[in-house]
Amino acid sequence: AIGVFGSVPSGGPVRMASDNGPNPADWEYDVLQLAESGGVSLRHIAFTIFEEEGLVGKFGIPDERFKSLLQRLEDLYSVENPYHCALHAADVLAATHCLHKGLPSGFFDDVEVLALYLAAVGHDAGHFRLNNAFLKNAGHALYRTHKESALERFHLGLVFELLEDSEVGIVDFLGSDLDKRRFKDLVTTLILATDMARHSLLFQKARAFLGDRRDAFRASVAETDWAMDSTDCDTGEAMSNSFDTYHPTHTDPTLTQGQSPTSNSTASGGTAATQTSLDGARHEPWVAFALAGACQSERELIAQLLLKCADLTNVVRPIQIADTWGKRIMEEFYQQGEKERTLGFPVTTFHNRKNFDYVFARHQSVFFGQRRAAAVRRARVVTGFRHQDGGDRELHRERLCVGASGKRKPSAREKRGRQ
């Protein structure tokens, strides 16, 4: 039987998806359900994704060596962790893969994709159910060594021990010294970016980058529209023509010669303000323009955005998946809170398990509003990603006001209105 926190039996057939069910590139992919029903683990899901991307073959890494690397990475995750277990790493990798597939094909080069996916696999390696706040208050050795991102640097160190290991390491297969250095630097940047203390700065940078590119695109469209000097071309058509000029490869590949992407979008229920990429994702025209001109540092920023969102997206998954992961992270919070209270440390999570339903719903809703909403919005902009979660989001909002009794509790705004 599969253990409750993700242990997997050895041997036997392995299925990466249920019959006619979601695959690792789908937003509805449920690694927990798959582990329970199909006997798969991080190493199985990860190898499938790396193989689908062709990364192992492109760098000439022997299959068995790469499988051994994935096995060793999986072994770094404790099966005692309710949330930060190997299946969390598999879930983050699958979400990263899903978001990556929404970008224009070829946006990242092979070294960047390899670094992004391996960072997803190893971003919480060695996690022991305590956060950076606890390490600081305890004067832990990791905090004394690294005052910033202590836990993330610990994960990073474990990952690089394996990436450079003589038996399972893959760095030597990257070819040039430049590619090796780029790979190491990007893995480092990505794993450190998962520290929530870096969250605000990352999204300030992402907002500035996307805002600047959008403004540049709009300015160029205005110039093009003026230069065309045509009375039969409305704004939508001008935007589409300008889009084709800057990035013609991102129009819908199903169009026949002479057919405009604008007419195709409108016919399929879309608008002239969106375009279909080669990967089937729909973007606003300025997004393709922004991504087409991205330099290495800007691609690095987008990679951080993808991994950050993948690490935080449980609450915007289908509600059954969101609930299961949410309850797992709450269990880790309770364990830390109880430990903090016992040791006399400041309580930074939760220590009282009473009224769980209300506390759980409030935590999920507030954390989504404060931490995840901006991340998801920006990822959806650059990937053109859409999912049908409107009802789920409404249910999450409603649960904020519902206690264990099932009766709706008034919101803070409603309470103020009664005073």
Side-chain angles (χ1 to χ4, degrees), residues 213-243:
R213 289 304 177 90
R214 183 184 58 226
D215 292 345
F217 175 80
R218 288 172 175 171
S220 67
V221 167
E223 292 178 1
T224 301
D225 193 29
W226 176 83
M228 290 175 67
D229 193 24
S230 174
T231 58
D232 62 350
C233 179
D234 63 20
T235 304
E237 290 170 340
M239 290 182 70
S240 295
N241 289 333
S242 182
F243 172 88

Side-chain angles (χ1 to χ4, degrees), residues 257-277:
Q257 186 173 6
Q259 183 182 6
S260 73
T262 302
S263 62
N264 178 72
S265 297
T266 304
S268 62
T271 68
T274 60
Q275 299 295 335
T276 304
S277 77

Side-chain angles (χ1 to χ4, degrees), residues 4-5 12 18 33 36 38 75 89 92 146 184 207 275 307 322 328 349 352 393:
V4 66
F5 295 144
S18 58
Q33 182 183 48
E36 292 286 348
D75 291 344
V92 172
H146 300 290
K184 293 179 181 179
R207 184 168 58 244
Q275 299 295 335
L307 181 56
R328 284 173 172 247
T349 56
N352 189 339
R393 288 202 304 272

Side-chain angles (χ1 to χ4, degrees), residues 20-290:
N20 299 318
N23 64 56
D26 294 330
W27 193 247
E28 296 78 16
Y29 190 65
D30 188 347
V31 300
L32 294 173
Q33 182 183 48
L34 190 62
E36 292 286 348
S37 63
V40 305
S41 65
L42 169 60
R43 63 187 182 275
H44 302 122
I45 295 170
F47 189 78
T48 298
I49 291 174
F50 280 92
E51 193 173 48
E52 179 180 315
E53 287 293 302
L55 293 170
V56 180
K58 287 175 181 177
F59 291 101
I61 306 171
D63 282 0
E64 292 306 313
R65 185 183 186 93
F66 198 76
K67 290 178 180 178
S68 296
L69 170 65
L70 295 176
Q71 175 69 69
R72 295 274 295 275
L73 284 168
E74 180 179 326
D75 291 344
L76 293 174
Y77 289 89
S78 172
V79 296
E80 297 180 359
N81 292 357
Y83 183 85
H84 292 100
C85 57
L87 289 178
H88 166 64
D91 185 58
V92 172
L93 172 62
T96 301
H97 182 51
C98 176
L99 293 171
H100 171 227
K101 300 304 284 185
L103 291 171
S105 180
F107 176 73
F108 294 123
D109 64 33
D110 294 337
V111 171
E112 291 166 339
V113 177
L114 183 67
L116 175 62
Y117 283 19
L118 282 173
V121 172
H123 77 283
D124 276 328
H127 204 290
F128 43 87
R129 305 188 301 283
L130 298 171
N131 62 21
N132 281 324
F134 184 96
L135 300 185
K136 178 180 179 180
N137 292 330
H140 195 280
L142 290 176
Y143 177 76
R144 294 198 302 270
T145 303
H146 300 290
K147 293 296 189 292
E148 294 183 357
S149 306
L151 197 55
E152 289 71 27
R153 293 184 187 279
F154 171 65
H155 303 323
L156 187 62
L158 293 177
V159 169
F160 270 115
E161 283 184 13
L162 294 182
L163 292 179
E164 298 179 319
D165 183 82
S166 60
E167 296 180 357
V168 302
I170 53 90
V171 173
D172 288 342
F173 289 86
L174 298 183
S176 69
D177 290 341
L178 175 60
D179 282 344
K180 292 176 183 177
R181 185 166 62 254
R182 283 202 305 130
F183 172 79
K184 293 179 181 179
D185 288 347
L186 186 52
V187 170
T188 299
T189 297
L190 289 169
I191 292 181
L192 292 181
T194 62
D195 182 1
M196 289 305 298
R198 299 171 182 255
H199 184 93
S200 296
L201 179 59
L202 172 61
F203 286 102
Q204 288 173 11
K205 291 180 178 179
R207 184 168 58 244
F209 165 66
L210 294 174
D212 289 346
R213 289 304 177 90
R214 183 184 58 226
D215 292 345
F217 175 80
R218 288 172 175 171
S220 67
V221 167
E223 292 178 1
T224 301
D225 193 29
W226 176 83
M228 290 175 67
D229 193 24
S230 174
T231 58
D232 62 350
C233 179
D234 63 20
T235 304
E237 290 170 340
M239 290 182 70
S240 295
N241 289 333
S242 182
F243 172 88
D244 293 335
T245 300
Y246 288 114
H247 215 296
T249 61
H250 288 88
T251 55
D252 192 333
T254 63
L255 298 180
T256 58
Q257 186 173 6
Q259 183 182 6
S260 73
T262 302
S263 62
N264 178 72
S265 297
T266 304
S268 62
T271 68
T274 60
Q275 299 295 335
T276 304
S277 77
L278 293 177
D279 298 298
R282 300 187 66 80
H283 304 85
E284 294 183 25
W286 69 267
V287 175
F289 167 79

Side-chain angles (χ1 to χ4, degrees), residues 15 30 136 141 306 342 360 387 391 414:
R15 293 185 297 116
D30 188 347
K136 178 180 179 180
L306 296 194
T342 299
F360 170 60
H387 57 96
E414 290 170 335

